[in-house]
Amino acid sequence: MDLVPALEEPLKQPLKSVLGPATAKVMAEHLGLHTVGDLLHHYPRRYEERGQLTHLADLPMDEHVTVVAQVADARLHSFASSRAPRGKGQRLEVTITDGSGRLQLVFFGNGVHKPHKDLLPGTRAMFAGKVSVFNHRLQLAHPAYELLRGDGEEAVETWAGSLIPLYPATAKLESWKIGKAVQTVLPAAQEALDPLPPALREGRGLLPLPEALLKIHRPATKADIADARARLKWDEAFVLQVALARRRYADAQLPAVARRPRADGLLTAFDDRLPFTLTEGQQKVSREIFADLATEHPMHRLLQGEVGSGKTLVALRAMLAVVDAGGQAALLAPTEVLAQQHHRSVTEMMGDLAEGGMLGGTEHATKVVLLTGSMGAAARRKALLDLATGEAGVVIGTHALIEDKVQFHDLGLVVVDEQHRFGVEQRDALRGKGKQPPHLLVMTATPIPRTVAMTVFGDLETSVLDQLPAGRSPIASHVVPAADKPHFLSRAWERVREEVENGHQAYVVCPRIGDDIEEAADPKKAAKKKSAEDEAEKRPPLAVLDVADQLAKGPLQGLRVEVLHGRMHPDDKDAVMRRFAAGDTDVLVATTVIEVGVNVPNATAIVIMDADRFGVSQLHQLRGRVGRGSAPGLCLLVTEMPEASAARQRLNAVAATLDGFELSRIDLEQRREGDVLGQAQSGARSSLRVLEVIEDEEVIAEARSEAMALVTADPDLDRLPGLRTALDALLDEEREQYLEKG
């Protein structure tokens, strides 16, 4: 929101820099701050209170205090230590008094020189720090101090009562230096052009922008901070929602071919063969999708659904509707394993309807082709020909679909599975293969809380599948504390054996492959210890190859154990998955390559090793691999983390609920939305500084409806130059492309 020339002034200029050139350089390189406006929008992360002025006679322990006192004496001591073995360590002890009592200050090492010069006996100053005890005496270690000259009463009050802003800083630039730089540019805040329409701002009682900027950086009271944050949250929510609303408006103006299924075509033939009825949710979502496909501007819809809620079936019906209407449909999957899995399940569901042009294909049949990077040349040529001639109505593939040589006869619908795994350019390239913009359906099995969906995918209509189809079984989830209770882990392997004896199969998931390529690639990473909090964090994560070997020789001896991981040759991966799906393997030890889409109804148990190393959403995804048939599912989360740790609480939350929306909320509250928005915004730095998508649900919803109304009435924002400038600042070229391409 660098709104006017004063705010667009670069911090670093060849002739006259706003700040010192060295400071401006660090700000640009390490904090991404280039202009006065950037710096004004670099808000404090929190505020420190200097503490109330306190008498030395009644200092509270372990609290941050500010005292005004006089130096009684100062002594410099030398001492020996491991760092300074020859007695060259230095400690400065300063005793201060305010008439009611005495207090010792202590400074060490290189930090002794300045206070040794400043704090001469008789000097009066303010000191701020945390009270601790050493040798039964109260002390402040390395306190901040400000020398008082003259009577200083006013200075005492201002300094002691003030809220000190602490800024997001870097090792090269401390918070207090950023604070000084902000102080230098703060007068320019008066010239900030307000992006909010006056009626909106006044109607909601929000501060004008210049006042909000002054109060966020130099608050006199906590109420100032609250008022400033409330105003700046609205800026972020509203400007982002206007960007998304304009994108939706522009999409609605694009032409597309309406695709309506024939009354007695392929879709009807497919529905007639389904051995079950669609759930109410599937029917409702299908109606929404078909209504979009029937319009003459491109559908942009996000289909999010619980693991196993039947999203693939809904997407397939949409694809068949498009084929019915003479178009082609492409399903883009993030991995070869998943593309092959989709191809298998789609051809199985369709039966002879997937055999168009072949003997045994029925009247309405079409051809379903698979296109992946590892296919042989002959199979690939045949698939490309089927796409170019229109013989293949449905194509399922990986990013190989995006290559230049892939030509479609008439691409009508693109379905993207697990949208967050595809780059903007990839999706854009596939959409560019239609004669007119194709319809777009984005699927995700990671449930996204409503507010995140509104913030990240605000330009997509959202459909949610939240009920499981009949016949899906419940999944029991338990945390297995391997370090506290080793016998629980032994019992876990017994449970796996029991499932296999009952004719079922199991997955064991590990965070690492274990051929040591990972560690060799980054020796520093291998050597580096994790947080000192727990022993469990210090060892490398468990690996597929090691665990498979130990299980086959130990607790699962005699069972048919195989491994699956991302570094295997695609043909080998496919062969392993086929054997597992056919029931020829009892236990599959894998990395997270099985995380999405893998569907083996006979697999009833999943043991996740080092479960604390996975995110909440990932654990929920992995758990969804079991309970896909009529037998109940079992998910065991194995961890060595101690009971009181945050990691264990996270695992307990996963074990306690099967509700993916509830879990994604927990996940988001723990990770904060920077990750979520960062991913969504093509890796760009999150534009949210004060807005928190879970806490500020109401602000986002209100900003969205205000933005939609505004853009409908004035799509080019002719009457709001401040808002247009704010949009330009939010949507740098990278983000602009992201929004353009969706």
Side-chain angles (χ1 to χ4, degrees), residues 400-464:
L401 282 175
I402 294 161
E403 290 168 11
D404 290 345
K405 59 179 83 128
V406 180
Q407 298 297 324
F408 288 85
H409 177 64
D410 179 13
L411 182 60
L413 170 66
V414 174
V415 180
V416 179
D417 193 16
E418 288 308 312
Q419 188 265 4
H420 61 277
R421 299 184 176 211
F422 285 101
V424 171
E425 288 73 21
Q426 292 170 310
R427 291 197 306 274
D428 188 45
L430 188 53
R431 276 166 66 180
K433 290 186 178 293
K435 294 186 176 75
Q436 282 192 311
H439 298 281
L440 176 69
L441 180 65
V442 167
M443 296 199 296
T444 177
T446 307
I448 304 166
R450 175 172 153 270
T451 40
V452 183
M454 283 192 324
T455 309
V456 183
F457 302 109
D459 58 313
L460 296 176
E461 297 291 344
T462 304
S463 295
V464 178

Side-chain angles (χ1 to χ4, degrees), residues 54-58 67-72 96-103 124:
T54 314
H55 287 300
L56 294 188
D58 41 43
V67 296
V68 175
Q70 195 164 343
V71 176
I96 58 172
T97 175
D98 68 349
S100 72
R102 293 166 83 82
L103 178 67
R124 194 158 175 266

Side-chain angles (χ1 to χ4, degrees), residues 237-253:
F238 183 69
V239 174
L240 187 59
Q241 291 301 339
V242 167
L244 292 167
R246 289 183 82 194
R247 161 86 195 281
R248 281 174 86 145
Y249 182 85
D251 283 340
Q253 315 307 309

Side-chain angles (χ1 to χ4, degrees), residues 582-655:
D584 298 337
T585 304
D586 298 320
V587 179
L588 186 62
V589 184
T591 55
T592 54
V593 290
I594 64 151
E595 182 185 342
V596 284
V598 173
N599 181 27
V600 179
N602 192 46
T604 51
I606 184 165
V607 181
I608 303 173
M609 307 303 291
D610 278 343
D612 46 275
R613 313 264 179 147
F614 298 98
V616 168
S617 298
Q618 208 173 18
L619 290 170
H620 183 58
Q621 288 281 16
L622 289 166
R623 169 168 62 186
R625 299 307 105 215
V626 298
R628 301 179 81 86
S630 52
L634 173 68
C635 172
L636 301 175
L637 305 166
V638 179
T639 178
E640 291 185 4
M641 297 301 269
E643 199 164 349
S645 64
R648 271 286 279 281
Q649 288 164 15
R650 202 169 67 235
L651 296 180
N652 291 339
V654 174

Side-chain angles (χ1 to χ4, degrees), residues 153-340:
E153 276 315 307
E154 196 177 320
V156 170
E157 286 312 312
T158 312
W159 198 83
S162 71
L163 292 156
I164 302 156
L166 295 180
Y167 290 88
T170 78
K172 299 264 170 80
L173 198 65
E174 299 93 336
S175 170
W176 64 268
K177 284 186 182 162
I178 296 171
K180 279 192 169 168
V182 169
Q183 193 69 39
T184 308
V185 301
L186 207 49
Q190 292 303 337
E191 297 188 46
L193 200 57
D194 205 318
L196 293 189
L200 188 157
R201 194 184 73 235
E202 287 153 17
R204 294 181 179 275
L206 299 168
L207 296 179
L209 181 58
E211 193 180 334
L213 289 171
L214 288 170
K215 285 186 169 172
I216 196 96
H217 291 294
R218 289 290 169 269
T221 62
K222 286 183 179 173
D224 282 355
I225 300 170
D227 291 348
R229 285 176 69 85
R231 161 60 216 245
L232 296 166
K233 279 180 182 193
W234 254 94
D235 277 17
E236 288 182 5
F238 183 69
V239 174
L240 187 59
Q241 291 301 339
V242 167
L244 292 167
R246 289 183 82 194
R247 161 86 195 281
R248 281 174 86 145
Y249 182 85
D251 283 340
Q253 315 307 309
L254 286 175
V257 179
R259 310 281 181 174
R260 297 181 184 86
R262 296 204 309 276
D264 58 348
L266 181 57
L267 179 62
T268 308
F270 175 76
D271 284 350
D272 289 345
R273 292 159 182 238
L274 281 178
F276 50 81
T277 41
L278 298 176
T279 65
E280 219 171 282
Q282 286 173 320
Q283 290 175 25
K284 174 176 164 283
V285 169
S286 290
R287 282 196 297 274
E288 292 169 351
I289 291 171
F290 290 153
D292 283 358
L293 290 174
T295 60
E296 291 181 352
H297 60 81
M299 165 172 82
H300 283 91
R301 189 167 282 278
L302 173 70
L303 170 57
Q304 50 171 329
E306 276 294 7
V307 175
S309 58
K311 288 182 304 301
T312 311
L313 178 60
V314 169
L316 177 56
R317 293 184 73 244
M319 291 162 85
L320 298 181
V322 169
V323 174
D324 255 353
Q328 291 170 291
L331 170 58
L332 190 57
T335 64
E336 295 216 351
V337 167
L338 192 49
Q340 286 160 339

Side-chain angles (χ1 to χ4, degrees), residues 412-733:
L413 170 66
V414 174
V415 180
V416 179
D417 193 16
E418 288 308 312
Q419 188 265 4
H420 61 277
R421 299 184 176 211
F422 285 101
V424 171
E425 288 73 21
Q426 292 170 310
R427 291 197 306 274
D428 188 45
L430 188 53
R431 276 166 66 180
K433 290 186 178 293
K435 294 186 176 75
Q436 282 192 311
H439 298 281
L440 176 69
L441 180 65
V442 167
M443 296 199 296
T444 177
T446 307
I448 304 166
R450 175 172 153 270
T451 40
V452 183
M454 283 192 324
T455 309
V456 183
F457 302 109
D459 58 313
L460 296 176
E461 297 291 344
T462 304
S463 295
V464 178
L465 278 174
D466 50 11
Q467 62 184 134
L468 295 184
R472 286 301 300 261
S473 303
I475 304 170
S477 305
H478 304 283
V479 177
V480 177
D484 310 351
K485 298 175 179 169
H487 60 287
F488 274 39
L489 183 58
S490 309
R491 176 69 189 126
W493 301 127
E494 283 171 23
R495 283 290 290 112
V496 169
R497 290 194 87 97
E498 287 164 16
E499 290 299 312
V500 173
E501 281 158 17
N502 290 331
H504 298 302
Q505 292 159 277
Y507 298 100
V508 177
V509 178
C510 305
R512 202 166 57 96
I513 296 171
D515 50 13
D516 290 337
I517 293 177
E518 296 117 311
E519 286 79 4
D522 190 352
K524 274 191 200 154
K525 212 168 177 180
K528 198 170 145 195
K529 296 290 187 204
K530 297 278 174 88
S531 76
E533 183 197 345
D534 302 299
E535 286 303 311
E537 276 285 298
K538 290 182 184 172
R539 63 162 174 72
L542 291 171
V544 166
L545 300 176
D546 304 340
V547 169
D549 190 48
Q550 288 159 13
L551 292 177
K553 291 175 182 167
L556 303 185
Q557 196 170 2
L559 300 187
R560 296 168 298 177
V561 177
E562 286 211 60
V563 299
L564 179 71
H565 58 75
R567 224 177 276 130
M568 289 164 64
H569 187 278
D571 291 348
D572 297 340
K573 279 193 279 197
D574 194 41
V576 169
M577 274 314 302
R578 281 179 187 277
R579 285 195 293 275
F580 190 65
D584 298 337
T585 304
D586 298 320
V587 179
L588 186 62
V589 184
T591 55
T592 54
V593 290
I594 64 151
E595 182 185 342
V596 284
V598 173
N599 181 27
V600 179
N602 192 46
T604 51
I606 184 165
V607 181
I608 303 173
M609 307 303 291
D610 278 343
D612 46 275
R613 313 264 179 147
F614 298 98
V616 168
S617 298
Q618 208 173 18
L619 290 170
H620 183 58
Q621 288 281 16
L622 289 166
R623 169 168 62 186
R625 299 307 105 215
V626 298
R628 301 179 81 86
S630 52
L634 173 68
C635 172
L636 301 175
L637 305 166
V638 179
T639 178
E640 291 185 4
M641 297 301 269
E643 199 164 349
S645 64
R648 271 286 279 281
Q649 288 164 15
R650 202 169 67 235
L651 296 180
N652 291 339
V654 174
T657 179
L658 290 172
D659 180 342
F661 285 90
E662 178 55 32
L663 287 173
S664 65
R665 226 183 150 83
I666 292 167
D667 196 19
L668 194 62
E669 280 164 357
Q670 290 188 340
R671 286 189 304 139
R672 291 260 334 188
E673 52 284 340
D675 318 22
V676 180
L677 292 175
Q679 265 183 351
Q681 296 188 346
S682 184
R685 197 160 54 98
S686 168
S687 56
L688 301 192
R689 296 184 178 97
V690 284
L691 191 71
E692 293 175 25
V693 291
I694 286 287
E695 278 181 33
D696 300 320
E697 204 159 338
E698 217 169 281
V699 174
I700 292 167
E702 288 174 18
R704 180 181 172 130
S705 59
E706 292 271 12
M708 303 266 287
L710 177 80
V711 168
T712 308
D714 181 10
D716 295 326
L717 310 179
D718 291 329
R719 297 192 290 278
L720 293 162
L723 179 55
R724 286 177 68 170
T725 323
L727 274 173
D728 292 342
L730 172 77
L731 302 176
D732 53 28
E733 206 172 317

